[in-house]
Amino acid sequence: EEKPKKEKKPGFSTMALVSVFSRLAGVSGSLARSPAAAGLPAVLGARFLATKKKAETDPAEEKPKKEKRPPGKYAAFVKSEYANAASKITKASPDLSKKDVFKSASKALSEKWKTMSESEKDAFKPPA
């Protein structure tokens, strides 16, 4: 028995659509013929080609950058105490990797921070 042949639906190939979209977007023809663009479905190809051209923005319209907040008490504490904690751990276990030293030092510092009173923590208040 012969299988019935499927009817071909009229339409454009993906390559043809990408070529049309590339002309509309003003992108050179070489991009439209690229294997990357050819493998994209028509809708994604249009999106791909539309995003290739960056929109020109007016520098005056850019959002002003927000000022960074000063580091908190814990960050100041870690900055001042980390080197000391890491050197103690390295001396105790010289075979540890840097990653393991960092984990151990961070864990030790967080435990120390949790046991500190508020007055001790206030000593690490960063300057305003």
Side-chain angles (χ1 to χ4, degrees), residues 7-48:
E7 292 182 29
K8 289 188 177 182
K9 294 179 182 178
F12 293 102
S13 70
T14 304
M15 188 63 118
L17 288 173
V18 170
S19 177
V20 169
F21 288 130
S22 68
R23 283 193 210 115
L24 290 174
V27 179
S28 68
S30 62
L31 178 63
R33 290 187 299 274
S34 73
L40 295 174
V43 175
L44 293 178
R47 235 181 240 172
F48 171 74

Side-chain angles (χ1 to χ4, degrees), residues 73 113-125:
K73 296 176 192 177
W113 180 258
K114 288 175 188 175
T115 60
M116 291 171 68
S117 67
E118 283 300 317
S119 59
E120 290 174 318
K121 291 178 182 180
D122 286 338
F124 294 100
K125 190 172 184 179

Side-chain angles (χ1 to χ4, degrees), residues 4-108:
K5 292 184 179 180
K6 291 183 181 180
E7 292 182 29
K8 289 188 177 182
K9 294 179 182 178
F12 293 102
S13 70
T14 304
M15 188 63 118
L17 288 173
V18 170
S19 177
V20 169
F21 288 130
S22 68
R23 283 193 210 115
L24 290 174
V27 179
S28 68
S30 62
L31 178 63
R33 290 187 299 274
S34 73
L40 295 174
V43 175
L44 293 178
R47 235 181 240 172
F48 171 74
L49 292 172
T51 57
K52 284 308 260 182
K53 238 184 170 182
K54 287 188 177 181
E56 294 179 17
T57 57
D58 186 16
E61 293 179 13
E62 291 181 10
K63 293 182 182 179
K65 292 184 179 180
K66 293 182 181 179
E67 287 187 32
K68 287 187 176 182
R69 294 185 303 169
K73 296 176 192 177
Y74 182 72
F77 166 73
V78 170
K79 189 174 183 178
S80 67
E81 299 289 323
Y82 177 79
N84 188 24
S87 66
K88 284 181 183 177
I89 292 169
T90 304
K91 285 178 184 175
S93 311
D95 59 328
L96 286 178
S97 67
K98 288 182 181 181
K99 183 178 178 180
D100 291 334
V101 170
F102 177 77
K103 282 182 183 179
S104 301
S106 299
K107 203 173 275 189

